[in-house]
Amino acid sequence: MEGLNPSQERAVKHFGKPLLIIAGAGSGKTKTLAHKVEFLIREKGIAPERLLAITFTNKAGKEIRDRVKRVAGVDLPWAGTFHSVALRLLRAKGKQVGISTNFSILSEGDRNQIIKKLSQSINTKPETLKNYLSERFENLREPYDEKLEYALQEYLKALKSMNLLDFSTLMLYTRELLLKNQSIRENFDFVLVDEFQDTNTVQYEILKLLARENVCVVGDPNQCIYEWRYARPDNILRFKEDFNPDVIKLEYNYRSRPYIIHIANAVLSASNAEWKSLIPTLRPVKEGGQKPTVRRFEREEEEAVWIATKVKELLQSYKPHQIAILVRVGYITEPFERALAGMRILYKIVGAIRFFERAEIKDVLSFFRVLTNPYDAVSFSRALEVATRGIGEKTLEHILQAGRGNCLAGSQAILKSLPQAKAVELYGFLQKLSRLYKRLEDYPQAIEDFLREIDFWDYLRESYKDAEEREENVKELLRYLRQKHSEGYRLVDVLEEVDFLTEREEEEGAVKISTIHASKGLEFDVVFLPRLEEGILPHEKAKESQEEMEEELRLFYVAITRAKELLFMTYTRNSKPSRFLSLIPKELLDLSAFAKKKTTYMPELKSLKDFKVGDRVLHEIFGEGVILAIEDSKALVEFKAGRKSIHTAFLKPVV
DNA sequence: AAAACAGCCGTTTTT
DNA sequence: CGGCTGTTTT
Ligand SMILES: Nc1ncnc2c1ncn2[C@@H]1O[C@H](COP(=O)(O)OP(=O)(O)OP(=O)(O)O)[C@@H](O)[C@H]1O
């Protein structure tokens, strides 16, 4: 088995019992999983169509499919996210749980609209209802509030009447289906789950209903960064109890240079997570490398220009797509865009406002959606707004009533009872829609003509200030449709892809600007981490709870461990430097920029925990000890091995 | 009843 | 800056 170390090889060849692979970043988890898929197919005779491989993103799913195709020459139809797998199951067997199988997916934005309306009707904040839905659907909590439960039931009814499913009801009904029809599990001979730390409760229950002995899950709880979305990193602990798996740990990091790994370990040592003892500390395989740099700037423009200059310089030795600027929040990217553009450096933003969530894109797609699912009132409303004048909320209500939810039938039905002007307008629109419908075979051309018929381009110019950019986006969408069409995609396939796809294909020749979240599982030669400031990382909103602060720390860990060769960490004086920076021992950093300016490394910051003189503490290497004195953030500790002065971040309280 | 407009808010992370 | 709300105009 070439290219694998002994532990990885053991994991690949393991068979006959549940397996848990638990390991830190860059230890080859994904690689091992990919090899395991091939091993199962080639050596164990598992039929590819009976192998379920669950990934965190659809992109990762596609990578596995492509790889299996390349290496083993077979298709792997069941590789994808929980959601895409759920979609396929419900399309095939949704009837068994009362779902009509031509349902469409409710987008995030439209979902929020519905939630907002419902929350108004029960006098709560949308946020409260949204959390309630998550508690009930993702976390499988029992009903615990009468009013909210009422709204939830209304929500379910609304979706049902529109023949729509959102991301959480997709999980909900899938679980229901699997509970009802246990034989579905017989369709799969092996189940694998990557990024297991970011699965939530309902997904775990789904896994339990799909898998028995032939199951392998792979994860790193320290890389759980979706707890805010009800991911449960402790599913790993539950898996250990429920499945009694063999456990294989991987400790060698093949990705990063040693300094980077030591920094990542130092950051992690401040975590108080319950699973800490389970995960081996990362050990570098690579050698050499440069110390990661920390720099401070007055303003974000200055920081951006410095980074852009550095990028320019590094482009001599690194490929553009091997350089990434990773940010905590999307809205701080403008200075970097400006600075990079100013230096004629091509860049690509990922994880920003997603292409298919843009208003103008949804405008165009709404016409298709109405035609494939005439009960989709959300899309119909949007379509009316774009293509007609004088037909609004009230008329739509009448339409829905007349058609008992079917927008197209309802429209036909009320034509007679409408004032003439409105009737003419609506009739004209229905005519155009019907012409579009008849030409759906060639949907790219049909929609292009349709858009012209409804004067869509004028509509764009009138409705939006930044019309040019939006025109560009629509043209991009048309190009995308033409490409899909030429690849043999039917319209329904395209709409399905769009529901889950967040990004258009990425360009090879561009530097990446991405959120840290969206960079999960990726790696880059060069990583810049700007704006490492209090309020940004850790984010202001996370400071209220210990759990969220832990997640912020993990986010920093994930960010650091994306880097293979070079890592640059910077902050501006808009705020105090991130407390997480002070977790890193100075010896691991290149701080030369500070030496010149005679500034101290960083202001003293409180560590995540408070210690007093006399506290018993634990250190990873020196063991247990007692604090003799505390100075700033360092503590003088008496260990068996002697007295040491240690940053409190590396100490854990002994209880 | 629908559209246009003006002034307000507050900015996480996304399958 | 963008999205929402309440108000005014058609
Ligand atoms: N045995 C090995 N020999 C050489 N290179 C390896 C080996 N195992 C993994 N690698 C390389 O190490 C890098 C990290 O691997 P991979 O992405 O699979 O790690 P991971 O554990 O999934 O990381 P993360 O948790 O950050 O997603 C990849 O470039 C991979 O090719």
Side-chain angles (χ1 to χ4, degrees), chain A residues 3-5 8 23-32 194-195 197 218 220 223 250 252-255 520-523 561-562 564:
Chain A
L4 295 176
N5 71 30
Q8 293 172 334
S27 55
K29 294 186 296 297
T30 303
K31 179 175 179 177
T32 302
D194 197 6
E195 307 277 13
Q197 73 279 354
V218 181
D220 175 5
Q223 287 189 70
L250 310 174
Y252 292 101
N253 176 301
Y254 290 86
R255 177 181 293 150
K520 190 160 86 115
L522 307 179
E523 55 186 20
T561 54
R562 298 311 94 197
K564 291 157 83 171

Coordinates of all heavy atoms in Angstrom, one line a residue, chain A residues 3-5 8 23-32 194-195 197 218 220 223 250 252-255 520-523 561-562 564, ligand 1:
Chain A
G3 N 2.5 5.0 -0.1 CA 2.2 6.3 0.4 C 1.5 6.4 1.7 O 1.0 7.4 2.1
L4 N 1.4 5.3 2.5 CA 0.7 5.3 3.7 C 1.7 4.8 4.8 O 2.5 3.9 4.6 CB -0.5 4.4 3.7 CG -1.6 4.7 2.8 CD1 -2.7 3.6 2.8 CD2 -2.2 6.1 3.1
N5 N 1.5 5.4 6.0 CA 2.3 4.9 7.2 C 1.6 3.7 7.8 O 0.5 3.4 7.4 CB 2.6 6.0 8.1 CG 1.4 6.5 8.9 OD1 0.5 5.7 9.2 ND2 1.3 7.7 9.3
Q8 N -1.9 4.3 9.2 CA -2.9 4.6 8.1 C -3.2 3.3 7.4 O -4.4 3.0 7.1 CB -2.3 5.6 7.2 CG -2.1 7.0 7.8 CD -1.3 7.9 6.8 OE1 -0.5 7.5 6.0 NE2 -1.5 9.2 7.0
A23 N -7.8 11.7 14.9 CA -6.5 12.2 14.7 C -6.5 13.7 14.4 O -7.5 14.2 14.0 CB -5.8 11.5 13.5
G24 N -5.4 14.4 14.6 CA -5.3 15.8 14.5 C -5.3 16.2 13.0 O -5.3 15.4 12.1
A25 N -5.1 17.5 12.8 CA -5.1 18.1 11.5 C -3.9 17.6 10.7 O -2.8 17.4 11.2 CB -5.1 19.6 11.6
G26 N -4.1 17.4 9.4 CA -3.0 17.1 8.5 C -2.4 15.7 8.7 O -1.3 15.4 8.2
S27 N -3.1 14.8 9.4 CA -2.5 13.5 9.7 C -2.9 12.5 8.7 O -2.6 11.3 8.8 CB -2.9 13.1 11.1 OG -4.3 13.1 11.2
G28 N -3.6 12.9 7.6 CA -3.9 12.1 6.5 C -5.2 11.3 6.7 O -5.4 10.3 6.1
K29 N -6.1 11.9 7.5 CA -7.4 11.3 7.7 C -8.2 11.1 6.3 O -8.7 10.0 6.0 CB -8.3 12.1 8.6 CG -7.8 12.2 10.0 CD -8.7 12.9 11.0 CE -8.9 14.3 10.6 NZ -7.7 15.1 10.7
T30 N -8.3 12.2 5.6 CA -9.0 12.2 4.3 C -8.3 11.2 3.3 O -9.0 10.5 2.6 CB -9.1 13.6 3.8 OG1 -9.8 14.4 4.8 CG2 -10.0 13.6 2.5
K31 N -7.0 11.3 3.3 CA -6.3 10.4 2.4 C -6.5 9.0 2.8 O -6.8 8.1 1.9 CB -4.8 10.8 2.6 CG -3.9 9.9 1.7 CD -2.5 10.4 1.7 CE -1.6 9.4 0.9 NZ -0.2 9.9 0.8
T32 N -6.5 8.7 4.1 CA -6.7 7.3 4.5 C -8.1 6.8 4.1 O -8.3 5.7 3.6 CB -6.6 7.2 6.0 OG1 -5.3 7.7 6.4 CG2 -6.8 5.8 6.6
D194 N -16.7 11.1 6.9 CA -15.6 12.0 7.1 C -16.0 13.2 7.9 O -17.2 13.5 8.0 CB -15.0 12.5 5.7 CG -13.6 13.0 5.8 OD1 -13.0 12.9 6.9 OD2 -13.1 13.5 4.8
E195 N -15.1 13.9 8.5 CA -15.4 15.1 9.3 C -16.5 14.8 10.3 O -17.4 15.6 10.5 CB -15.8 16.3 8.4 CG -14.8 16.6 7.3 CD -13.6 17.4 7.8 OE1 -13.4 17.6 9.0 OE2 -12.9 17.9 6.9
Q197 N -16.7 15.0 13.4 CA -16.9 15.9 14.5 C -17.9 17.0 14.2 O -18.4 17.6 15.2 CB -15.5 16.6 14.9 CG -15.0 17.6 13.9 CD -14.4 17.1 12.7 OE1 -14.1 15.9 12.6 NE2 -14.0 17.9 11.7
V218 N -14.4 9.1 10.7 CA -13.1 9.8 10.8 C -13.4 11.2 11.3 O -14.2 11.9 10.8 CB -12.5 9.8 9.4 CG1 -11.2 10.5 9.5 CG2 -12.4 8.5 8.8
D220 N -11.9 14.7 14.0 CA -11.0 15.4 14.9 C -11.8 16.4 15.7 O -12.1 17.5 15.2 CB -9.9 16.1 14.1 CG -9.0 16.9 15.0 OD1 -9.1 16.9 16.3 OD2 -8.1 17.6 14.5
Q223 N -11.3 20.0 15.6 CA -11.6 20.8 14.4 C -13.1 21.0 14.3 O -13.6 21.4 13.2 CB -11.0 20.1 13.2 CG -9.5 20.1 13.1 CD -9.0 19.6 11.7 OE1 -9.2 20.3 10.7 NE2 -8.4 18.5 11.8
L250 N -4.0 8.6 14.6 CA -2.9 9.0 13.7 C -2.2 10.2 14.3 O -2.9 11.1 14.7 CB -3.4 9.3 12.3 CG -4.3 8.3 11.6 CD1 -4.9 8.9 10.3 CD2 -3.6 7.0 11.4
Y252 N 1.1 11.5 13.2 CA 2.1 12.2 12.4 C 1.4 13.2 11.4 O 0.5 12.8 10.7 CB 2.9 11.2 11.6 CG 3.8 10.4 12.5 CD1 3.5 9.1 12.9 CD2 5.0 11.0 13.1 CE1 4.2 8.4 13.8 CE2 5.7 10.2 14.0 CZ 5.4 8.9 14.3 OH 6.2 8.2 15.2
N253 N 1.9 14.4 11.4 CA 1.4 15.4 10.5 C 2.3 15.5 9.3 O 3.5 15.8 9.4 CB 1.3 16.7 11.2 CG 0.9 17.9 10.3 OD1 1.5 18.1 9.3 ND2 -0.2 18.5 10.7
Y254 N 1.7 15.2 8.2 CA 2.5 15.3 6.9 C 2.4 16.6 6.2 O 3.0 16.8 5.1 CB 2.0 14.2 6.0 CG 2.4 12.8 6.5 CD1 1.6 12.1 7.4 CD2 3.6 12.2 6.1 CE1 1.9 10.8 7.8 CE2 3.9 10.9 6.5 CZ 3.1 10.3 7.4 OH 3.4 9.0 7.8
R255 N 1.6 17.5 6.7 CA 1.2 18.7 6.0 C 2.2 19.8 6.2 O 2.7 20.4 5.3 CB -0.2 19.1 6.3 CG -0.6 20.4 5.6 CD -2.0 20.9 6.0 NE -2.9 19.9 5.5 CZ -4.1 19.7 6.1 NH1 -4.4 20.3 7.3 NH2 -4.9 18.8 5.6
K520 N -11.9 24.6 5.8 CA -11.8 23.3 6.4 C -11.5 22.2 5.5 O -12.1 22.1 4.4 CB -13.1 23.0 7.1 CG -13.0 21.8 8.1 CD -14.2 21.8 9.0 CE -15.4 21.2 8.5 NZ -15.8 20.0 9.2
G521 N -10.5 21.4 5.8 CA -10.1 20.3 5.0 C -9.2 20.6 3.9 O -8.7 19.7 3.2
L522 N -8.9 21.9 3.7 CA -8.0 22.3 2.6 C -6.6 22.6 3.1 O -6.4 22.6 4.3 CB -8.6 23.6 1.9 CG -10.0 23.6 1.4 CD1 -10.4 24.9 0.8 CD2 -10.2 22.5 0.4
E523 N -5.7 22.7 2.2 CA -4.3 23.1 2.6 C -3.7 24.0 1.6 O -4.1 24.0 0.4 CB -3.5 21.8 2.8 CG -3.4 20.9 1.6 CD -2.7 19.6 1.9 OE1 -2.6 19.2 3.0 OE2 -2.3 18.9 0.9
T561 N -3.5 25.3 11.0 CA -3.1 24.0 10.4 C -3.5 23.9 8.9 O -3.3 22.8 8.3 CB -3.8 22.8 11.2 OG1 -5.2 23.1 11.2 CG2 -3.2 22.8 12.6
R562 N -4.0 24.9 8.3 CA -4.1 24.9 6.8 C -2.8 25.1 6.1 O -2.6 24.8 5.0 CB -5.1 26.0 6.3 CG -6.6 25.9 6.8 CD -7.1 24.6 6.6 NE -7.0 23.8 7.9 CZ -7.1 22.5 7.9 NH1 -7.4 21.8 6.8 NH2 -7.0 21.9 9.1
K564 N 1.0 24.8 5.0 CA 2.1 23.8 4.8 C 3.5 24.4 5.0 O 4.3 23.8 5.7 CB 2.0 23.3 3.3 CG 0.7 22.4 3.1 CD 0.4 22.4 1.6 CE 1.2 21.3 0.9 NZ 0.7 21.1 -0.5
Ligands
LIG1 N1 1.6 8.7 4.7 C1 1.8 9.9 4.1 N2 2.9 10.2 3.4 C2 3.0 11.3 2.8 N3 2.1 12.3 2.8 C3 1.0 12.1 3.4 C4 0.7 10.9 4.1 N4 -0.5 10.9 4.7 C5 -1.0 12.2 4.4 N5 -0.1 12.9 3.6 C6 -0.3 14.2 3.1 O1 -0.6 15.1 4.2 C7 -1.6 16.1 3.8 C8 -2.8 16.1 4.8 O2 -3.5 14.9 4.5 P1 -5.1 15.0 4.7 O3 -5.7 16.1 4.1 O4 -5.6 13.6 4.3 O5 -5.2 15.2 6.3 P2 -6.4 15.3 7.2 O6 -6.1 14.6 8.4 O7 -7.6 15.0 6.5 O8 -6.3 16.9 7.5 P3 -7.5 17.8 8.0 O9 -7.9 17.2 9.3 O10 -6.7 19.1 8.2 O11 -8.5 17.9 7.0 C9 -1.9 15.8 2.4 O12 -1.2 16.6 1.5 C10 -1.5 14.3 2.2 O13 -1.2 14.1 0.9

